[in-house]
Structure formats: C-alpha cells, structure tokens
Amino acid sequence: MDIDMDDLLIKGALVYDGTGADPAIKDIAVSAHKIRAIGKNIPKNARQTIDGTGLALMPGIIDSHTHFDAQITWDASLKPSPSLGVTTAVIGNCGFTIAPCKPADRDMTMRNLTQVEGMSLEVLKSGIDWGFETFAEYLAMLRGKGCVVNTAAYIGHSSVRTWVMGADASRREATPHEIEQMQTIVRDAMAAGAVGFASSTSPAHNGEGGLPMPSRLASEPEMMALIKAMGSRGKGVYMVTKGGQMPVSFLEDMAKQSGRPVMIAALLHNSTNPKAVFKDLDQIASANARGHRLIGQVSCCPLTMDFTLASPYPVEGLQSWKPALGLQGDALKAVLADNTFRQSVRAEITAPTTFRLFNGEWDKVHVIETSLPVHAALEQRTVADIAKSQSRDPLDVMLDLALAENLQTVFTAQLLNSDSDAVGRMLNHPNSIISLSDAGAHLTFFTDAGFGLHLLGHWVRDLQAMSLSEAIRRLTSQPASIFGMTDRGMIKEGMAADLLLFDPATVGRGPKRRVFDLPGGAARLTTDAIGVHGVWVNGQQVADSQGMLAQPPLAGKLLTEFAS
Ligand SMILES: [Zn+2]
C-alpha cells in the first residue's frame, strides 16, 4: 500500500463550501483528518473512494444548541445527531450542565435536570458517569472517553451557582463574596477550554419541586460579573435563554461591557402575540448596528410537544401552575381538579405576554393516546373540537380526561413556531442563527436533532424560503465563526474534514418514532435521516445511507481552543 495515499476521496459531488458561494462540481481529497486538496492534485485512488455524482457535499452541521452534557458520559455516539449530519455539538446550553458538581449536589443536579429538561431520573441515575467534580475534570473525562462528533462545552451558570451556594442556589440572590467565587470558577473553566458561559432567566425553567433553576435567581450585577469573568481573556460566547423580563437592552449592555458576543434563546414565533419576537429581533439588529454582537437563536422546527398531565412541560412555566408544580399522585390530582386553580390557569393563558409556551390554542392540542377503551374515540381529535361538541370548557375537558385516566392520557401540543411566513422571515434575519434543536433533552416530548436536514428539505427545497448555499452557510460557517472554530464550517484546503454528503432532491428528516435504548431500557423519541449518503468527522466516516455505522469511530475532537 502506498503510504502517501489519501484517506478519503469524494469524486464529482456538487460542493457547497459553507461560505454561501455558488456550488461547483469538484473532487475532494482528505488526508490526516484534514481536507488536503480540492479539484487539483487529486489522485485516482484513496483508502475510501466515494462517487458523489448527482449528490451535494457540504461541511458537517454545527448544532449550537444541545443538551448532551449527561448523555455524552454514557453514549459517546450522541445518538441520533451524527446520523442527521451533525459533526459538531455545543453542549451546556441554558447553563443546565452537570459540571462542576460536588458529590453532595449530584442528586439535586439530576433532579433539576429531570424537571427542566424532561430527562428521566432513573436514566440519569444509572447513566451518568460522575468521574469528575470540577469543569476541568469533566473535560478531561470527556477527552478520555472520546466522542463520535466534535464537542464544545459551555460552563453552566446553574451548576456554578450550585457549587458555590448549595441548595440556596435556587432560593436567593448571591452575596458579593459568592459572586467573586463564581467568577473564579468561570475564569478557570474558560482557561480549561469552555466555549463560553451559558445561563437562563426563563420562567419556563424550573427545577426539582418547582423551584426556579438557580440561574434565574441571579441579580443583574451577578450576570454582568460572570460575563466579564468569561470574557476576561478576550474569548467566549455568552448564551442565555431569556425570560420576557430580561430586556434586550441589558443584553446589549453585557455585550458592550464584556466585548463578547451574546447568543439569545429562544426566539420562537407565537401566533397569539405575533409581533413580540420581531421586536426582539429589531432590537438585536439595532444593537449590531451599534457594534455590539447579539445573535438570536431561532428554530426551523415547529415546537410540538407530547405530554401527559403527570409531567405537563408546556404549562409548567405558567405562574398559575405553581400550586401543581412538583406534586405527584393524589396531591397533584386534587390540585388539577380544583376549580379555583382552573380559573386562574384560564385567566393566565389568555392574557397578553411576550413569551409563553402555551397560549390557550386548544385547536392545536390533540389527544394522542387514551388509556381507557371508552375514550378511544377521542384519539386524534383536538381538545377544542371535543370541548365544542360537548359544550364544555377546553381546559376542563383536558384535565377531566386526564384525571379519569390516572394522568396517563398522552396529548400533543403544537406550541410555537408554526406560522411559516413568520418563521421564514426569522430564519432569514441577518442577526439570527438557526438553532434550538435541544438535542439530548426533552427526550420523550420532541426531537429536533434533525433540524439541519429539515432546513435543507422543507425550507429550501419545498418552500424555497432561502437558497441552498445560504442555508448551508447558516448551518456551518456562520456558527463556526461566532464560536471561533476557525478550522471548521468550510470546505477549504487545510480545514478539518467534517463532511455531509446528501441528495438535495430527497433530503429531510423522517417522522418521529419511539425507541427504547436509554440506560435501563427507557424510551426516547428519535427520527431517521432521509437523503443522507455519508457523514465524516475529521475524515472518518460515522454514518452512511443506512444511518449511523454500527461501530462508529470516536472521530470527534473535544474543542477547547477558540479564536477571539
Ligand atoms: Zn436549551
């Protein structure tokens, strides 16, 4: 064998380089994990030769909003993302991380994740490898384990707060001394290789027993102190899932004072308050015009969630739902049956607000699965429709049905982001980033890990909402440049060989389906790739047209060096 032989040769594909430039048919040679040559000095053979005729080749997708922090400790393949074209995953979004964590806080951390990210406590308990305490030790552990895709990790605000304040983290503001301790942890994490600092101020983010996630208790001075600690070496992205009470003007001030980019989630379109998200985007655009880097995380997927009333994520952010939060069994049923409780929920879901997951759109809530045969005829009907035919109030219909079935009834709610005109404008906004897959979280509620394929199929091919080269730029070089991943996101000589070969005529994501492969055999939703012919991470193939390889190589790198 010729020792100078290239590792991979992809011939004749229409190459989209990730910059948004027009594509061209080229041959690509990969050697030593990097793109060695494009179009010229191409040999006839390589260790792996692929005929790309009739297909498109693009850089691998960078998923900027995932929650694989726990899963990555037991599943190095980060299912299902690699099969869906993702070659780099950013973990730790919203600040819901598992590092740093003292042994005494592990139980609380897992219980919080169970509530806020819809992860099963049993899965976390049997799955998480707690072979670390500090953030640097966590990174070292991940490096040792290896991963199928590249990963970059935020240092998470809620974990930092819990490390310093213990159980008080979810109960009160921090003292100046505690803020100083948190700053030290954030600085150390940045030195260890964090991609930035992530936080949440969203009222939808509640932990164990319905207490707010720790970061929600942070004062403005605490937030400002921590982003400054993050940016003290001139690096890092501040990521926040903001509640309606957190003004864009404050976020602009944070960008200004730290000199660092601010990524704002979750900008989703709400049909009952259709202008709110555009107001945020306008303010983000004005901030950029003043030289302050603000980026709005938007989604190309409608936010649809499956839920039962035993764990009704869509309504748990409501103020009026507080009395039911954290309760189980008979105690929960008693609250759900209570008329005063129902009255206040009814009042809240119809009152105007800037951001709310559920807005009383009962025509978008379907009964999916009933447990009693007598209710079978209600399946696939909307709650609005059932309420109308029974001349009853829709909230009563939903709660009474659930109560009659021991809270087993499965509903699905199309919550946000279902207006394609509005979402199309958000996807094309110059200061938005297409993101919010939430991969690794909410495993039984929804699965948007295939958001990139959905963008290429649904939005580009079917709706023609943007060009294919622009969509590819937004999934690749745009996130790479925001995060300072200078050797990824483009097909260029010398760049890392993260590649996705696909058929533009068929690309998309399949319907969601249930699989039982979590620790302990627990269920999760997944989706299959359509039109994907191959995925390579640093030059090594991890998926083909049948999905992820049975034994995918641990080809990913833990990314810890970022440009300023
Ligand atoms: Zn998130």
Side-chain angles (χ1 to χ4, degrees), residues 65-67 93-94 96 117 205 239 241 438 442:
H65 194 124
T66 81
H67 293 280
N93 278 275
C94 314
F96 306 144
E117 295 295 351
H205 285 154
M239 182 276 154
T241 296
D438 263 344
H442 309 294

